[in-house]
Amino acid sequence: MSATPDRTSHDGFRPEVEGLRGVAVLIVVLFHAGLAGVTGGFVGVDVFFVISGFLITGLLLREHERTGRIAFLAFYARRARRLLPAAVVVLIVTLIAAMNLVAPLDRPSVGLDGAAAALSLGNIRFALASGDYFANVAAPSPFLHFWSLAVEEQFYLVWPALILIVARGVHARRRVVLALLGLVMASFVGNVVLTDLAANWAFYSLPTRAWELGLGGLVAVVAGAGIVDRAPRGLASVFGWLGLAAILIATFSFDQAMAWPGSAALVPAVGAAVLVASGRGRLGPSLLLATAPLRFLGRISYSLYLVHWPILVLAPFALGGQVDELGRAGLVLLSVLAATLSWAVIETPFRGPLPRLVSPPGRTVSVGLASILAVVVIAAAPSMGWGAAPAAAAETTASALIDTSDASWPDDLVVPLPSTGPSHQPAPSPTSPTTNPAPSAKPAASPVPRPVLPEDVAATGALSSDVRPALADARGDEERLRADGCLAFERVTVPPDCIYGVPAGAFTVALVGDSHAAQWFPALDRLARHEGWRVVTFVKVACPFIDMPVRNTALKRDYRECADFNEATIARLNAIRPDLTLVSMSRIAIHPLTTTDDTVAAKGAAVGRMLSRLSGRVAIIVDTPYAGRDVPACLSANLADVEACAIPQAVAFTDHLGALEKAAAKAAGADRIDLTQHICIGTPCPVVVNDRIVYRDIGHLTATFARSLAPALAAAIALILAR
């Protein structure tokens, strides 16, 4: 959101628009602080986009009409003087604070966020990241808010040229209106389509936000032509209040569960456009918006937007824990004070005599670019040292796949094959991700009692230098399915053909479920290689194997692709007829569309119905304990005391751990595998066991630790097959 333009008689300054900026920044800040029930305060950014389109288009058109041209260099010099000083200071101060407060493992990533913000590429960086904006708000970067500034700055790069091109010749305003109408319509359609297909890009990208900027531009063209002034004042005032009402309704009734921006963004965007177009009627909303408090917030809105988010994000690190509602209200007041100081000491001087030191536009732009590059160098420095994430996951080499470094296989552990004969399999796919030769098949063994597995040992004291995976690699230590294209993403509806273990093995095991099923793959693959089994996978992100409509929190809608994927999986499984099907899913990530389905009993019964549709032996694996925190980040901040990161059982066992699987197994007559005792081996649950880091994030096992559970998984399967 840009700084307020200079208030001169020829630039069309309007005090009620300044007040509207105050309203927009206030609802954004209250939303980020979680205060006052402002569940839809994110619409303040949409209001800012409309205002920016209105202000910048008006400035450019007036310049073109006065001079017949647009001075690009002077335009960018003005933008640099108004935007860069405060932004550079906030970037540097935030970088210094973050590098001293956030977990060491997060510092390289935070530094790259800062570099992207300085380069006006923050929106692209966050669009490429996993998780949508609202998920990032819950686990944020102190530079997340720079995404909207990046959109505006990208807008500044293309808008002057667009106005100059279409405003040439006679009927300039008519040509601009037609061009903006085309742009608004195309951008809005793209926004609606992409919100359904790739919500992150719809939210963060300029092409899908340009319609809001263009809407403000249309208001500027119409207002500049005097059309609004000729409208009846009473009617204009009514429409102005309706526009303000639309913004407030969106502010207090919308929430982050909505697919955004999508078509719903019309409410605040059109409301803002109508409000701005309504003018300054005596009975209109300007009565409220032009009041001193809102105009003051409008004047400091740029600085307030810049400073409030780093304060809210970094305060819990500085205070040693979460901040309660009263504390967050205090942080909002602190943000207002800091913004006032920034506006008075940094923003205002650069609009007065101080810029004369660099007054030539070329020099201004050069100094601005130099300051940006300096910030980029400072911000990117941490990513060059310790903590940089590896480019490859742990399971990328043959030695990692076999994992000879793990403890030897228990001598008394033999998995008995059933006597029903080999499964009926199609020939192995020539595109199978594995090409290991098949060892000779093992003969069926007699049932054996559960073996005594090696005793697990929780780490105490300082983190061992021999810990596996290395702490810097922990977040990338995931199963190979993603890299192989065998972990299906949201839009996929047909399971890929993926065969592992021993492709020519006579005994086939299928792995089915979401990413919490995929995390068992390293253990299953190690077991399959030891036993000469064939493994086929049917896993899809955030897709529980359940017979009920569920919601995808990233797509913000009915996860219909999950239902289609599950149906295709069942058809494939019934054609393959595996000897054993293992099913697992995250209990926390099941989001039924209806509240009546959101119970353990209902979800368990729905999973049971799916299990009943599978042929052959079926076992459901109990979901893993929940870490509830970013374990690698916690360890990096507590290198001398790994027990500080241990997980209370109230957190680990949250949401009725094991209850869903028990209900599903009972409903379907299926078996249940529970390896909880091998993951949470004490109270509280340790996060380093046998010098292995247990979790790679807040809920997924590291591939290294999962692979070490192969003997425990084998013992559980042995009991099932022996029955």
Side-chain angles (χ1 to χ4, degrees), residues 390-405:
E395 291 192 276
T396 56
T397 65
S399 61
L401 290 170
I402 299 171
D403 195 20
T404 56
S405 63

Side-chain angles (χ1 to χ4, degrees), residues 557-650:
R557 59 166 172 77
D558 178 8
Y559 198 6
R560 51 184 180 269
E561 293 89 348
C562 177
D564 293 342
F565 185 90
N566 284 338
E567 287 301 317
T569 294
I570 290 174
R572 288 271 298 280
L573 288 172
N574 287 335
I576 294 173
R577 297 175 59 83
D579 299 280
L580 175 66
T581 300
L582 300 176
V583 178
S584 186
M585 67 204 78
S586 169
R587 66 194 184 281
I588 296 172
I590 301 175
H591 305 287
L593 284 182
T594 59
T595 55
T596 54
D597 283 339
D598 198 12
T599 65
V600 171
K603 290 184 285 191
V607 173
R609 290 194 294 272
M610 296 294 279
L611 301 183
S612 299
R613 297 175 61 186
L614 302 177
S615 60
R617 290 177 176 81
V618 178
I620 185 167
I621 304 176
V622 171
D623 191 20
T624 47
Y626 180 56
R629 64 176 54 161
D630 185 334
V631 170
C634 181
L635 288 172
S636 73
N638 294 276
L639 294 174
D641 182 18
V642 297
E643 292 175 275
C645 299
I647 307 160
Q649 288 196 346

Side-chain angles (χ1 to χ4, degrees), residues 3-49:
T4 307
D6 295 334
R7 305 184 210 182
T8 60
S9 59
H10 64 269
D11 69 2
F13 173 76
R14 288 170 49 182
E16 80 282 3
V17 175
E18 185 176 65
L20 181 58
R21 290 171 60 88
V23 171
V25 77
L26 179 62
I27 62 178
V28 169
V29 171
L30 292 177
F31 167 69
H32 284 159
L35 297 174
V38 185
T39 57
F42 52 87
V43 305
V45 174
D46 302 82
V47 175
F48 269 115
F49 284 155

Side-chain angles (χ1 to χ4, degrees), residues 531-555:
E531 296 293 322
W533 294 349
R534 181 174 184 256
V535 174
V536 290
T537 61
F538 301 87
V539 290
K540 177 177 170 67
V541 294
C543 181
F545 194 63
I546 194 168
D547 183 25
M548 68 168 54
V550 294
R551 179 181 179 81
N552 182 279
T553 56
L555 297 174

Side-chain angles (χ1 to χ4, degrees), residues 37-132:
V38 185
T39 57
F42 52 87
V43 305
V45 174
D46 302 82
V47 175
F48 269 115
F49 284 155
V50 173
I51 294 173
S52 291
F54 169 75
L55 294 174
I56 297 302
T57 303
L59 286 171
L60 293 172
L61 278 177
R62 286 190 291 273
E63 179 183 356
H64 186 269
E65 289 171 348
R66 288 195 311 267
T67 66
R69 58 189 289 272
I70 292 176
F72 290 99
L73 194 59
F75 172 81
Y76 293 122
R78 291 194 301 269
R79 292 292 91 201
R81 284 198 298 269
R82 289 170 180 164
L83 299 178
L84 281 182
V88 167
V89 171
V90 170
L91 282 167
I92 293 175
V93 172
T94 302
L95 279 168
I96 294 171
M99 292 306 148
N100 286 279
L101 292 174
V102 303
L105 200 63
D106 287 326
R107 291 171 189 171
S109 177
V110 168
L112 291 177
D113 291 344
L119 291 169
S120 299
L121 297 174
N123 59 330
I124 296 174
R125 176 164 171 80
F126 291 117
L128 290 169
S130 59
D132 66 358

